[in-house]
Amino acid sequence: VGALDSIADIVGAAICLDYLKVDKVMSSPIQLGGGTVKCAHGIMPVPAPATALIVEGIPVKTGLVQHEATTPTGAAILVATVNEFSETLNFSVSKTGYGIGQRDVSEVPNVLRVFLSETSNDENDWELVASTVLECNIDDMNPEHYDFLFKLLFEAGASDVWLTPIIMKKMRPANTLSVLSNNDLTDKLKTIVFEHTTTLGIRQYKVEKTMLKRELVSVSTQYGAVKVKVCRLNGRVISSKPENSDCERLAKLHKLPISIIENEVIKLL
């Protein structure tokens, strides 16, 4: 990209991030707009081919306005610098900046807004995470297949998967399959559920979960090192859980009950 305005955008964004010395960049899903745009090869639907390629795997939205809302340059800057895409504002704002474009539109203001936030160790020990729950009721599936299904869903990035016993029409015993995930994984997980269960439909709804911040520490025992997940609340440790996979590995290595390994770790915490 060699256009002067693109060079100014890229260099300006780099100078801004370097000057502010930010530790993390967050963004809402990228709004691409709608309608058509004039490209080197003629009139093309929004997003332009370059923009579509750049935002692959990134949360996007369309249709807010009927013109190009994100250029390839803007998309490239976001994809290269953003650490997390989220629709939730769960931070305190210390400063706000605005960038105003030259295009005059009537639907919404042609404005880019940026927040600067500073956090401290005195803030909450938890974070609010936007997630999605996928659910379906199943009454005609071989229960032996659930184990394989759970493994596939977890390998694909599901945060949690569970079954709830229910009674359906005609008093049939059944299960509700529930899958909790980050919003950007829903389509991938839906495909797995459709392919590996007998359901013909999936319910979907947004949830917010409050998660304690976690710290992973390594504890050296006489049997070997074990990772421990530590959670704090108001500066006090309220949970310390040895990683089961590490305890299993050491129990097999030393031919000991896994409880002995766990107790050894707990004594050293």
Side-chain angles (χ1 to χ4, degrees):
V1 176
L4 292 178
D5 59 341
S6 295
I7 294 174
D9 291 340
I10 294 168
V11 175
I15 291 173
C16 176
L17 292 172
D18 181 68
Y19 176 79
L20 294 174
K21 293 180 172 54
V22 294
D23 299 305
K24 180 180 181 181
V25 179
M26 300 175 63
S27 170
S28 59
I30 300 175
Q31 174 59 236
L32 300 178
T36 59
V37 61
K38 187 175 182 180
C39 302
H41 300 286
I43 303 297
M44 302 286 289
V46 170
T51 304
L53 182 64
I54 291 170
V55 300
E56 286 183 356
I58 301 297
V60 299
K61 290 185 174 182
T62 60
L64 178 65
V65 293
Q66 288 304 300
H67 59 77
E68 184 181 44
T70 301
T71 64
T73 304
I77 293 172
L78 287 172
V79 172
T81 61
V82 172
N83 303 106
E84 177 185 343
F85 288 91
S86 173
E87 296 189 75
T88 305
L89 293 177
N90 56 353
F91 51 80
S92 58
V93 177
S94 58
K95 290 184 180 180
T96 305
Y98 293 90
I100 302 175
Q102 293 182 347
R103 183 195 296 266
D104 186 13
V105 294
S106 57
E107 301 98 326
V108 294
N110 187 18
V111 171
L112 172 69
R113 181 166 60 179
V114 179
F115 297 119
L116 182 64
S117 173
E118 294 186 15
T119 60
S120 68
N121 294 330
D122 297 329
E123 292 195 351
N124 290 334
D125 294 310
W126 61 76
E127 57 183 337
L128 197 62
V129 180
S131 303
T132 299
V133 174
L134 306 176
E135 283 187 352
C136 59
N137 297 341
I138 303 174
D139 65 356
D140 57 350
M141 177 173 157
N142 185 342
E144 293 179 338
H145 296 172
Y146 281 116
D147 180 55
F148 180 59
L149 171 66
F150 274 43
K151 289 178 181 177
L152 291 176
L153 291 169
F154 280 122
E155 289 172 358
S159 302
D160 203 357
V161 184
W162 66 96
L163 290 175
T164 306
I166 60 172
I167 300 296
M168 292 180 59
K169 59 185 179 182
K170 300 181 181 179
M171 299 304 293
R172 292 178 184 168
N175 290 299
T176 295
L177 171 68
S178 302
V179 184
L180 179 69
S181 76
N182 296 333
N183 295 335
D184 56 347
L185 294 175
T186 53
D187 287 346
K188 183 179 181 181
L189 296 173
K190 282 183 198 175
T191 300
I192 293 174
V193 173
F194 279 131
E195 287 182 344
H196 296 278
T197 73
T198 56
T199 191
L200 301 178
I202 300 174
R203 298 183 297 276
Q204 174 179 331
Y205 55 91
K206 304 289 186 182
V207 297
E208 289 184 341
K209 57 179 180 177
T210 302
M211 295 180 58
L212 285 174
K213 295 178 182 178
R214 305 164 192 183
E215 178 187 358
L216 206 60
V217 299
S218 180
V219 174
S220 297
T221 74
Q222 59 180 312
Y223 306 108
V226 175
K227 291 189 290 293
V228 178
K229 191 180 298 178
V230 178
C231 295
R232 289 182 171 84
L233 183 63
N234 297 326
R236 180 171 56 91
V237 175
I238 63 169
S239 174
S240 299
K241 185 179 183 302
E243 285 292 315
N244 191 67
S245 58
D246 285 354
C247 294
E248 282 186 2
R249 174 178 53 81
L250 294 178
K252 291 177 180 177
L253 177 65
H254 296 283
K255 296 181 173 55
L256 292 172
I258 192 171
S259 59
I260 292 180
I261 307 296
E262 287 183 340
N263 290 336
E264 180 69 15
V265 175
I266 293 171
K267 283 192 302 183
L268 295 171
L269 290 176

